[in-house]
Amino acid sequence: MKKTEYEELIERSVDLIKSTVEKTLPGFSFYTGIVLGSGLGELAEKVENAVSISFRDIPGLAVSTVEGHKGAFVIGRLYNKNVILMQGRVHFYEGYEMQLVVLPIRIMARLGIKHLLLTNSAGGIGEENVPGSFMVLTDHISSFVPSPLIGENYEKFGPRFPDMSEIYNHDIAEKIYNKGNESGLKVTKGVYLQTTGPQYETPTEIRFYKMIGADAIGMSTAVEAIAARHAGVTVNGISCITNFAAGLSDTKLSHEEVKNVADRVSDDFKKLVRIYLEEVL
């Protein structure tokens, strides 16, 4: 997609969302964006005075083909904060070009969000990252997927060569980690690695990823974080560890297992998001 077409698509989407929200929530200011991963979709039901806009109603926006990713923006008040929730995301492995994968992130950035929380389901590599626990992202490895910044630079968002020294805000990450554990949840900190998918990794690949510093692995998030930081948005991330990565247990990996564990700990995941909104921001 040409740069001018992409920028026009972003601006049209922003105008459509603003005009739709203005009818119900006049003067609404966008403060925090949250990408809801597996197990968190029901959190959208807690949004007060919610305005829901399906991705299908926004021309040019890609729609997920993966079960559990509804595909909608939900806007309103959640735990005393103005939020825009992404109820589901699209993935690179679905066949979409990377610019479309991060398009919703860029739309939220243009809407004016100051903070972005990225959530996902991930396979645990680090010893502490057991199924049912949560990992606060301190950094990531994105070397195995194409950068969303490849191609012409979008000066409206940021510089050609943006700094990525602190992709995930360290102070906020530390607060989520501390307050999460104080509340009785099992929360760790670590480095997330994104692959393209859709196949799960081999045991040899997992040994390699562990050797280079990865603590959890998944098929999303890192490219979204890059696009958001390019736009100057403060980013944080939380992984719900739904399984041991390949070769670390006798269980064969499956999407059904991921969904089952994510659903089982969804209440704990919602609690951690509440802590982020109420006690950290």
Side-chain angles (χ1 to χ4, degrees):
M1 186 181 299
K2 293 181 179 179
K3 179 180 178 181
T4 53
E5 294 175 340
Y6 191 68
E7 289 180 329
E8 288 173 1
L9 176 56
I10 292 172
E11 297 307 321
R12 285 201 308 271
S13 301
V14 168
D15 289 343
L16 187 153
I17 293 170
K18 281 185 174 180
S19 61
T20 303
V21 172
E22 186 67 20
K23 295 174 184 176
T24 305
L25 302 170
F28 185 87
S29 59
F30 294 84
Y31 182 67
T32 302
I34 305 178
V35 178
L36 302 178
S38 298
L40 277 182
E42 292 181 359
L43 193 62
E45 297 174 6
K46 293 184 176 294
V47 176
E48 299 172 10
N49 301 317
V51 176
S52 181
I53 305 172
S54 172
F55 289 171
R56 297 180 187 277
D57 294 331
I58 303 177
L61 215 61
V63 179
S64 179
T65 60
V66 181
E67 184 181 354
H69 290 267
K70 183 176 180 180
F73 285 121
V74 180
I75 300 122
R77 294 279 290 178
L78 180 65
Y79 302 125
N80 299 314
K81 294 292 191 302
N82 282 10
V83 299
I84 173 168
L85 309 183
M86 265 180 64
Q87 205 173 11
R89 54 158 58 92
V90 295
H91 306 78
F92 186 58
Y93 65 72
E94 294 177 76
Y96 295 116
E97 60 180 288
M98 192 60 78
Q99 297 290 13
L100 289 179
V101 172
V102 300
L103 179 57
I105 303 299
R106 286 182 162 143
I107 289 172
M108 289 194 291
R110 287 294 288 166
L111 284 168
I113 63 168
K114 307 302 180 187
H115 297 271
L116 175 67
L117 179 66
L118 300 167
T119 70
N120 61 50
S121 295
I125 298 177
E127 294 180 1
E128 292 186 335
N129 292 325
V130 299
S133 64
F134 302 96
M135 187 185 83
V136 177
L137 276 60
T138 57
D139 205 346
H140 74 223
I141 299 170
S142 63
S143 305
F144 302 97
V145 290
S147 169
L149 306 185
I150 289 174
E152 293 183 82
N153 185 49
Y154 296 94
E155 293 81 6
K156 290 181 180 179
F157 290 98
R160 170 77 282 186
F161 303 106
D163 177 65
M164 293 286 157
S165 300
E166 187 179 338
I167 298 180
Y168 304 96
N169 184 275
H170 292 168
D171 291 340
I172 292 177
E174 192 68 21
K175 290 177 182 177
I176 297 172
Y177 169 77
N178 288 330
K179 290 182 178 295
N181 280 296
E182 288 169 6
S183 72
L185 301 176
K186 180 171 176 50
V187 184
T188 67
K189 293 183 289 186
V191 176
Y192 176 87
L193 185 147
Q194 180 178 350
T195 63
T196 63
Q199 76 284 351
Y200 291 109
E201 305 73 30
T202 69
T204 301
E205 288 172 330
I206 292 300
R207 288 195 294 272
F208 170 62
Y209 296 150
K210 183 175 182 179
M211 185 175 64
I212 63 173
D215 297 297
I217 188 165
M219 304 174 190
S220 67
T221 302
V223 295
E224 297 167 339
I226 291 169
R229 286 302 301 134
H230 179 236
V233 177
T234 298
V235 179
N236 284 96
I238 303 172
S239 291
C240 173
I241 306 301
T242 53
N243 56 276
F244 290 110
L248 300 181
S249 75
D250 296 330
T251 304
K252 289 188 177 181
L253 303 183
S254 69
H255 186 58
E256 183 178 0
E257 178 192 11
V258 170
K259 286 183 76 280
N260 287 341
V261 175
D263 290 342
R264 176 168 58 82
V265 299
S266 64
D267 286 344
D268 288 342
F269 210 167
K270 294 171 191 173
K271 182 178 180 180
L272 201 51
V273 173
R274 179 188 60 76
I275 289 171
Y276 165 77
L277 288 172
E278 280 191 338
E279 302 181 32
V280 173
L281 289 188

